[in-house]
């Protein structure tokens, strides 16, 4: 197989939180919130999902094989999800038209075989399209893609590969630069760091000397942009590693855990959300109507990002969970009960472990204690409750 030369992938140490201006962060957060609200509204009434474990695992492994950035794998899954749902909707629309007009029905078995035979090609096209949106200097060539497909027993030409990409683009009306939960996680972590920085430098919190010292550094005539950024990062890192009010949750370490949990949620998408649905309605057998209304919850990436960060904070330092959850609630407006419910669902599936021959149950006390404190009557109610 024509394997691409492995580029140097970004390490966690390359990520720098706290280096963006507060005004920029606020604008970006507002934009993300509007995007998320629109996506949730558009998901209403949409049925079906192609975020199955085997499909997601295939995309993740392929992205790793081709040395693509982590964001590419999530975006490829989202592009494939939207495309396949469009395909399913088109088939249903054609069927209803034929029933209404009583025309000759199509050979559905042949159509199903056609979709099945082209599925891997479509999946690879989605990965290739996502890689082109990542602004990475190493893009995947058509030769690499064709050799990969050939190794799997799928013989295609360059023309067919280009046509497949074009089919995906046309089906989605060229709207393929889709937001991913990872972008929301990174944005919220940036907001949390900025919040900590502002509180640390606030005179009312007894840091007047540090505030004046930083101002003198960054306003010095001989201080260039990189030096100013370095001073800000120095103060930020002090906050991140010393913590605030004795709460130690390093941002880079938290970010690493977030990536792991986000992978897990994508790989176990249906089980995680099924347990969340059952917990939210307090019933082990949800009705079809409740399941349909829950679709919008599955597409709420802001909620997912909040749950991922809160669950990661619990793993890193469970004593800080309620503080981090409180910050996330004030930033996003998502009820603490909802944050607790999703965090619990994520932690339940991440703490549990499979061993040969037996399944080890999740000890409820590992997660229930800290989460119960945030969902007490003194806090805001209103969790995830499909009617």
């Amino acid at each position: 197989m024509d394997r691409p030369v492995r580029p140097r992938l970004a390490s966690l140490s390359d990520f720098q939180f706290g280096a963006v201006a507060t005004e920029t962060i606020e604008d970006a957060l507002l934009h993300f919130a509007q995007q998320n609200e629109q996506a949730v509204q558009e998901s209403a009434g949409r049925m079906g999902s192609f975020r199955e474990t085997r499909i997601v695992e295939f995309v993740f492994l392929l992205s790793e094989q081709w040395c693509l950035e982590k964001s590419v794998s999530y975006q490829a899954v989202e592009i494939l999800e939207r495309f396949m749902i469009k395909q399913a909707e088109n088939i249903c629309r054609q069927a209803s038209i034929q029933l209404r007009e009583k025309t000759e029905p199509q050979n559905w078995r042949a159509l199903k075989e056609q979709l099945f035979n082209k599925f891997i090609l479509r999946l690879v096209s989605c990965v290739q399209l996502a890689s082109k949106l990542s602004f990475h200097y190493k893009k995947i060539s058509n030769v690499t893609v064709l050799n990969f497909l050939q190794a799997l027993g799928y013989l295609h030409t360059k023309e067919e590969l280009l046509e497949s990409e074009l089919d995906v683009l046309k089906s989605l009306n060229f709207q393929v630069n889709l937001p991913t939960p990872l972008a929301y996680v990174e944005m919220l972590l940036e907001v949390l760091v900025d919040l900590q920085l502002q509180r640390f430098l606030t005179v009312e919190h007894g840091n007047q000397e540090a505030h004046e010292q930083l101002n003198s550094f960054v306003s010095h005539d001989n201080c260039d942009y990189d030096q100013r950024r370095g001073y800000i990062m120095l103060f930020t890192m002090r906050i991140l590693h010393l913590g605030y009010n004795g709460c130690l949750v390093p941002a880079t370490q938290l970010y690493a855990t977030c990536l792991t949990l986000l992978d897990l949620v994508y790989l176990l998408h249906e089980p995680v959300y099924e347990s969340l649905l059952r917990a939210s309605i307090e019933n082990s057998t949800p009705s079809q109507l409740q399941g349909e209304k829950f679709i919008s919850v599955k597409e709420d990436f802001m909620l997912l990002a909040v749950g991922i960060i809160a669950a990661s904070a619990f793993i890193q330092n469970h004593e800080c969970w309620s503080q981090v959850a409180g910050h996330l609630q004030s930033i996003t407006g998502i009820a603490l009960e909802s944050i607790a419910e999703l965090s619990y669902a994520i932690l339940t599936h991440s703490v549990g472990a499979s061993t040969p021959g037996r399944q080890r149950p999740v000890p409820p006390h590992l997660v229930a204690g800290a989460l119960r404190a945030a969902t007490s009557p003194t806090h805001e109610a209103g969790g995830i409750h499909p009617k």
Side-chain angles (χ1 to χ4, degrees):
M1 185 186 301
D2 181 21
R3 182 177 297 181
V5 178
R6 288 187 175 273
R8 175 183 173 274
L9 295 179
S11 65
L12 291 176
S13 60
D14 293 330
F15 289 90
Q16 293 184 341
F17 294 100
V20 181
T22 301
E23 295 77 11
T24 304
I25 295 175
E26 290 174 352
D27 291 341
L29 181 62
L30 178 61
H31 175 69
F32 272 61
Q34 292 171 341
Q35 264 193 327
N36 186 65
E37 184 178 358
Q38 181 180 351
V40 170
Q41 291 176 351
E42 290 176 353
S43 68
R46 191 172 70 198
M47 292 302 295
S49 175
F50 291 86
R51 296 191 190 98
E52 296 181 4
T53 299
R54 290 183 300 171
I55 296 174
V56 172
E57 185 179 17
F58 192 110
V59 172
F60 281 6
L61 291 175
L62 181 58
S63 298
E64 183 178 346
Q65 171 70 23
W66 286 346
C67 310
L68 299 172
E69 295 295 316
K70 194 63 184 174
S71 59
V72 173
S73 56
Y74 300 126
Q75 193 154 45
V77 171
E78 295 307 320
I79 293 174
L80 180 65
E81 167 81 359
R82 303 295 194 277
F83 172 73
M84 293 306 298
I85 286 176
K86 284 285 186 182
Q87 295 291 99
E89 289 175 348
N90 289 337
I91 292 175
C92 293
R93 190 179 302 112
Q94 291 175 17
S96 61
I97 291 175
Q98 289 174 355
L99 287 173
R100 186 170 60 250
E101 298 179 354
K102 297 181 180 180
T103 57
E104 185 69 22
Q106 285 186 308
N107 188 336
W108 296 112
R109 178 174 295 180
L111 183 58
K112 180 181 177 181
E113 289 179 358
Q114 182 182 1
L115 289 173
F116 178 81
N117 292 335
K118 287 189 176 182
F119 180 76
I120 296 297
L121 175 62
R122 302 303 195 206
L123 184 152
V124 172
S125 294
C126 291
V127 174
Q128 198 171 14
L129 284 171
S131 72
K132 293 177 181 179
L133 296 169
S134 69
F135 302 107
H136 197 273
Y137 74 94
K138 185 74 176 180
K139 69 177 184 179
I140 305 303
S141 68
N142 289 337
V143 174
T144 299
V145 176
L146 291 174
N147 287 342
F148 170 77
L149 290 170
Q150 184 177 0
L152 296 180
Y154 298 97
L155 300 179
H156 294 285
T157 64
K158 288 185 178 179
E159 289 74 18
E160 289 174 330
L161 187 61
L162 293 173
E163 287 176 3
S164 178
E165 284 192 56
L166 191 58
D167 285 344
V168 174
L169 288 170
K170 286 182 177 179
S171 179
L172 297 178
N173 198 26
F174 292 84
Q175 303 297 315
V176 293
N177 193 14
L178 303 170
T180 68
L182 177 60
Y184 286 85
V185 167
E186 292 175 342
M187 170 56 59
L188 290 174
L189 284 177
E190 191 70 58
V191 174
L192 284 172
V193 169
D194 184 70
L195 178 64
Q196 298 289 68
L197 178 60
Q198 295 302 320
R199 293 193 176 196
F200 180 78
L201 296 177
T202 299
V203 175
E204 285 76 10
H205 283 80
N207 293 297
Q208 183 173 3
E209 183 179 348
H211 191 280
E212 292 174 351
Q213 185 181 12
L214 180 59
N215 279 339
S216 66
F217 278 137
V218 299
S219 61
H220 197 277
D221 292 338
N222 295 325
C223 181
D224 60 20
Y225 172 80
D226 289 334
Q227 287 175 314
R228 293 177 186 177
R229 176 174 174 173
Y231 286 130
I232 294 174
M233 286 303 301
L234 177 64
F235 275 78
T236 305
M237 292 305 292
R238 180 180 173 189
I239 297 166
L240 297 180
H241 289 280
L242 292 180
Y244 177 67
N245 287 346
C247 180
L248 179 62
V249 185
T252 52
Q253 194 172 329
L254 187 63
Y255 180 64
T257 308
C258 286
L259 289 177
T260 301
L261 291 186
L262 189 55
D263 276 357
L264 178 109
V265 171
Y266 262 84
L267 289 167
L268 300 177
H269 189 269
E270 285 305 310
V272 168
Y273 279 97
E274 275 297 317
S275 61
L276 178 62
L277 173 58
R278 290 195 295 268
S280 64
I281 64 174
E282 300 180 349
N283 191 327
S284 59
T285 54
S287 67
Q288 181 178 349
L289 180 60
Q290 288 171 325
E292 291 174 0
K293 289 189 174 183
F294 202 70
I295 294 293
S296 59
V297 176
K298 294 181 179 181
E299 299 302 320
D300 191 339
F301 288 170
M302 187 71 80
L303 173 64
L304 175 56
V306 165
I308 290 289
I309 295 173
S312 300
F314 183 87
I315 291 173
Q316 291 296 324
N317 187 344
H318 67 274
E319 294 179 355
C320 294
W321 186 89
S322 49
Q323 180 181 328
V324 172
H327 288 329
L328 291 170
Q329 189 276 333
S330 64
I331 292 167
T332 64
I334 297 174
L336 284 168
E337 186 179 352
S338 297
I339 298 175
E341 287 175 353
L342 182 53
S343 298
Y344 185 88
I346 294 171
L347 288 167
T348 299
H349 287 275
S350 59
V351 174
S354 297
T355 56
R358 74 186 186 93
Q359 177 80 17
R360 187 174 68 190
V362 182
H365 68 273
L366 290 179
V367 290
L371 302 185
R372 192 180 298 114
T375 55
S376 63
T378 58
H379 289 285
E380 179 182 350
I384 306 166
H385 297 292
K387 303 296 183 183

